[in-house]
Amino acid sequence: MNIEMIRAAAARLHGHIRRTPLLSSPALDDIAGRRVLVKPECLQHTGSFKYRGARAALSALDPDTRARGVLAFSSGNHAQGIARAAGEYGVPAVIVMPRDAPRLKIDTTRALGAEVVLYDRGREDRAAIGAALAKERGLTLIRPYDEPEVIAGQGTCGLEIAEDARALGIETAEVLSCCGGGGLSSGIALALEAEAPGLTLRTVEPEAFDDMKRSLAEGRITGHCGPEGGLCDAILTPQPGEITFPILARLAGPGIAVSDDHALRAMALAFQRLKLVAEPGGAVALAAALFSPEIRAGTVIATISGGNVEADTFTRALATLG
Amino acid sequence: MNIEMIRAAAARLHGHIRRTPLLSSPALDDIAGRRVLVKPECLQHTGSFKYRGARAALSALDPDTRARGVLAFSSGNHAQGIARAAGEYGVPAVIVMPRDAPRLKIDTTRALGAEVVLYDRGREDRAAIGAALAKERGLTLIRPYDEPEVIAGQGTCGLEIAEDARALGIETAEVLSCCGGGGLSSGIALALEAEAPGLTLRTVEPEAFDDMKRSLAEGRITGHCGPEGGLCDAILTPQPGEITFPILARLAGPGIAVSDDHALRAMALAFQRLKLVAEPGGAVALAAALFSPEIRAGTVIATISGGNVEADTFTRALATLG
């Protein structure tokens, strides 16, 4: 896993991904007491950065392997990214999802052309189902974050941040990344190391699901003490990845955790001040930029990693505007 | 009023305005039964295209005149555009608003550094108050649409549409513009005439406030039969402008009107599929792209002209998702 893989992914993704800008609002700067720049990956195809990694992984396969199709376990943004990328190549995508996944996510993934295979979480083994499908049809499994070409794809987001920060004359800043398994965070960290060494990546997680923060503090992969599900569903992972963690242990600053209330307020402020739709997990980095006492930099760059949120959750966030 | 003024405005605005992209979503194409591209001016500074015209008008003033300050009558997006542009130049902006304007709009305009002068709609004459202020302080009045340099600024949006359409290989399309007094629409129409003659501008208004549609049909400036206020507050004008109408009479296709229900559904779909916040008046062009039987083009480009909407109105729009 290295910067050359990210540069190669950027070349393959050119003309396919949306080149997202850095946005800002004087009102957000006032709230934060610092300069806040926002990288709106909610505007990426399929509504999250996951399309970058998915397209990067598919484009890295040799054509014969790709033609047999790909497999993913996901009920969320990774599924949509894989489904769209596979559709663009005209190759099969099989997405294995729990039977109790939200209807909208199942329908959206099917609408993108993927085959959705449902399983019973209580009685069936997801890995066994996937392995049997992969063997039978010759599908290639694309993991959501612990996969070098996926990390390379997410890293293209970091190349863009480095380029835009340079154009703005920003030499030092903290770059806040919404963090689940660490694919986006580790990709951005590698890109910044090479292209903008004055910019430091910091991971942001929900308070009860701070496995990356704990792991970074302890210097080894460890889990969180949170429950099974939560508001920020897109970024709830049991522990950091085997590939992503060593990268972040070497390059990232201390991890940050934010409350669900702050995530909801950040969603409301993104609505009011940036006219963007952020999902809860996609708003934690902006929440840290606005409300965390752990940030000292005069300039922060916060990813909004996704915007796939149901209307009722968004309405709940808007209620925090009072 | 000509294309050279628009090109000159583009040069002055370069580096100050946000260069907005063209966005799309396969789901919106499916609903519309045609290719739909969206120009998201809700992402423009101050949340609407109005900043383009405001900055263009201020930048066209000679420095001594500009230093004395500017004056605008507006409780909405024009006020915010003028306030921000004046703040950037460090010159005074006086905004005359009715005393019963929404508190948030008054506060937002003040937060941008403008002086807000309130008047009583029932008892006081807005024009007289403005004229007295202008004389006393040497302020220059900037009208919201019937002002050549404002139209030139809005026209820069049309130059960008022409450039991006060319890059996508689009030679013919209907360009749908949310229309109040016609500043944005006439500016875009002039830009397309020069840079993309295969693209035809069409204005879109709310059904009860279709003064431009009626005027285009009759070939002369006429009013609408609607009440005083409505959902799409940003684009409710009594009649087309004296400068904007002749431009549109020469260049635009037949006007289109959409229902408030369709405007709300377009807001909900912009939320769900584009992750963008549109205000009701800013969503009428997208509503036409998705739902109007009057469109025949295989490709439409719809402006989302602004995103300054209160949470309760947005929640009402989301409820249409069912």
Side-chain angles (χ1 to χ4, degrees), chain B:
Chain B
M1 193 60 247
N2 57 50
I3 185 67
E4 292 312 324
M5 288 174 68
I6 299 176
R7 292 194 180 119
R12 297 198 307 278
L13 295 183
H14 185 75
H16 299 286
I17 52 169
R18 285 205 186 119
R19 172 65 166 84
T20 53
L22 289 182
L23 303 178
S24 62
S25 151
L28 297 183
D29 294 351
D30 285 349
I31 293 168
R34 56 177 69 90
R35 183 177 188 187
V36 178
L37 297 162
V38 170
K39 177 75 171 168
E41 282 295 300
C42 49
L43 299 179
Q44 192 51 263
H45 295 303
T46 72
S48 92
F49 74 94
K50 289 282 189 179
Y51 171 76
R52 293 179 186 260
R55 172 99 197 181
L58 267 99
S59 63
L61 295 175
D62 78 81
D64 288 347
T65 305
R66 186 167 58 222
R68 288 194 294 275
V70 293
L71 171 75
F73 303 110
S74 168
S75 56
N77 292 334
H78 179 56
Q80 293 187 42
I82 291 288
R84 176 165 173 141
E88 289 167 344
Y89 277 111
V91 305
V94 179
I95 311 292
V96 181
M97 280 190 197
R99 199 174 295 280
D100 57 352
R103 189 79 224 163
L104 183 72
K105 295 201 171 178
I106 298 174
D107 291 346
T108 302
T109 307
R110 282 197 176 129
L112 288 166
E115 177 185 349
V116 174
V117 174
L118 300 171
Y119 75 100
D120 184 325
R121 269 209 272 217
R123 290 174 35 224
E124 292 181 283
D125 177 13
R126 183 180 86 161
I129 292 172
L133 280 168
K135 190 173 174 195
E136 185 188 320
R137 306 204 206 166
L139 304 171
T140 301
L141 174 66
I142 314 264
R143 292 176 189 83
Y145 50 87
D146 238 9
E147 183 88 70
E149 290 296 353
V150 169
I151 297 171
Q154 321 307 26
T156 62
C157 185
L159 293 181
E160 295 173 8
I161 290 171
E163 183 181 342
D164 289 354
R166 194 178 308 121
L168 292 168
I170 296 167
E171 290 180 6
T172 60
E174 292 184 355
V175 177
L176 308 180
S177 175
C178 306
C179 186
L184 177 62
S185 302
S186 59
I188 293 176
L190 285 169
L192 297 181
E193 179 190 28
E195 298 287 341
L199 273 54
T200 306
L201 184 112
R202 297 185 68 179
T203 59
V204 186
E205 294 163 296
E207 268 172 2
F209 304 90
D210 60 345
D211 47 284
M212 186 64 82
K213 179 181 175 180
R214 286 165 185 257
S215 300
L216 290 171
E218 293 185 23
R220 61 180 183 86
I221 292 177
T222 185
H224 59 71
C225 303
E228 263 224 5
L231 176 73
C232 301
D233 57 326
I235 59 168
L236 305 184
T237 41
Q239 60 177 50
E242 302 279 344
I243 302 174
T244 58
F245 177 70
I247 297 168
L248 290 166
R250 183 168 69 81
L251 296 173
I256 299 169
V258 301
S259 69
D260 283 357
D261 281 351
H262 278 165
L264 289 169
R265 282 179 62 192
M267 289 170 67
L269 288 164
F271 159 86
Q272 189 178 55
R273 301 300 179 179
L274 299 170
K275 314 308 171 190
L276 292 175
V277 176
E279 63 189 90
V284 294
L286 179 59
L290 296 174
F291 307 121
S292 175
E294 293 176 56
I295 293 172
R296 279 162 225 96
T299 299
V300 293
I301 301 172
T303 58
I304 292 184
S305 58
N308 292 315
V309 54
E310 303 282 335
D312 54 353
T313 304
F314 200 75
T315 299
R316 191 177 145 202
L318 294 188
T320 66
L321 289 171

Side-chain angles (χ1 to χ4, degrees), chain A residues 57 77 93 96 98 120 155 241 276:
Chain A
N77 292 334
V96 181
D120 184 325
L276 292 175

Side-chain angles (χ1 to χ4, degrees), chain A residues 10-19 45 51 55 88, chain B residues 168:
Chain A
R12 295 198 309 277
L13 296 182
H14 185 74
H16 299 286
I17 53 170
R18 285 206 186 117
R19 173 64 166 85
H45 295 303
Y51 171 75
R55 173 97 197 181
E88 288 167 344
Chain B
L168 292 168

Side-chain angles (χ1 to χ4, degrees), chain A:
Chain A
M1 193 60 247
N2 57 51
I3 185 67
E4 291 312 325
M5 288 174 67
I6 299 176
R7 292 193 180 118
R12 295 198 309 277
L13 296 182
H14 185 74
H16 299 286
I17 53 170
R18 285 206 186 117
R19 173 64 166 85
T20 54
L22 290 182
L23 303 178
S24 62
S25 152
L28 297 184
D29 294 351
D30 286 348
I31 293 169
R34 57 177 70 91
R35 184 177 187 186
V36 178
L37 297 162
V38 170
K39 178 75 169 168
E41 282 295 302
C42 50
L43 299 179
Q44 191 52 259
H45 295 303
T46 72
S48 92
F49 74 95
K50 290 282 188 179
Y51 171 75
R52 294 180 185 260
R55 173 97 197 181
L58 266 98
S59 62
L61 295 175
D62 78 79
D64 288 346
T65 305
R66 187 167 57 223
R68 288 193 293 275
V70 293
L71 171 75
F73 303 110
S74 168
S75 56
N77 292 334
H78 179 56
Q80 293 187 42
I82 292 288
R84 177 166 171 138
E88 288 167 344
Y89 278 110
V91 305
V94 178
I95 311 291
V96 181
M97 280 190 197
R99 198 173 296 280
D100 57 352
R103 190 79 224 165
L104 184 71
K105 295 201 172 179
I106 297 173
D107 290 346
T108 303
T109 307
R110 282 197 176 129
L112 288 165
E115 177 186 349
V116 174
V117 174
L118 299 171
Y119 74 100
D120 184 325
R121 268 208 274 218
R123 290 173 35 224
E124 292 179 283
D125 178 13
R126 182 179 88 164
I129 293 171
L133 281 167
K135 192 175 171 194
E136 185 188 320
R137 308 206 206 165
L139 304 171
T140 301
L141 173 66
I142 314 263
R143 292 177 189 82
Y145 50 86
D146 238 10
E147 183 89 67
E149 289 297 352
V150 169
I151 297 171
Q154 321 306 27
T156 61
C157 185
L159 294 180
E160 294 174 8
I161 290 171
E163 183 181 343
D164 288 354
R166 194 180 306 122
L168 291 167
I170 296 168
E171 290 180 4
T172 61
E174 292 184 356
V175 177
L176 308 180
S177 175
C178 306
C179 186
L184 177 62
S185 302
S186 60
I188 292 176
L190 285 169
L192 297 180
E193 179 191 27
E195 297 288 340
L199 274 55
T200 306
L201 183 113
R202 298 184 69 179
T203 59
V204 186
E205 294 163 295
E207 268 172 0
F209 304 88
D210 60 345
D211 47 284
M212 186 63 82
K213 179 180 176 180
R214 286 164 185 256
S215 299
L216 290 171
E218 293 185 22
R220 62 181 181 85
I221 291 176
T222 185
H224 59 70
C225 303
E228 264 221 5
L231 176 72
C232 300
D233 57 325
I235 59 167
L236 304 184
T237 41
Q239 60 178 49
E242 303 279 344
I243 303 174
T244 59
F245 178 69
I247 296 167
L248 291 166
R250 182 168 70 80
L251 296 174
I256 300 170
V258 302
S259 68
D260 283 356
D261 280 352
H262 278 164
L264 289 169
R265 284 180 61 193
M267 288 169 69
L269 288 163
F271 159 85
Q272 190 179 56
R273 302 301 180 179
L274 298 170
K275 314 308 172 189
L276 292 175
V277 176
E279 64 189 87
V284 294
L286 179 59
L290 297 173
F291 306 122
S292 174
E294 293 175 56
I295 294 172
R296 279 162 226 96
T299 300
V300 293
I301 301 172
T303 58
I304 292 183
S305 57
N308 291 315
V309 54
E310 303 282 335
D312 55 353
T313 304
F314 200 75
T315 299
R316 191 176 147 202
L318 294 188
T320 66
L321 289 172

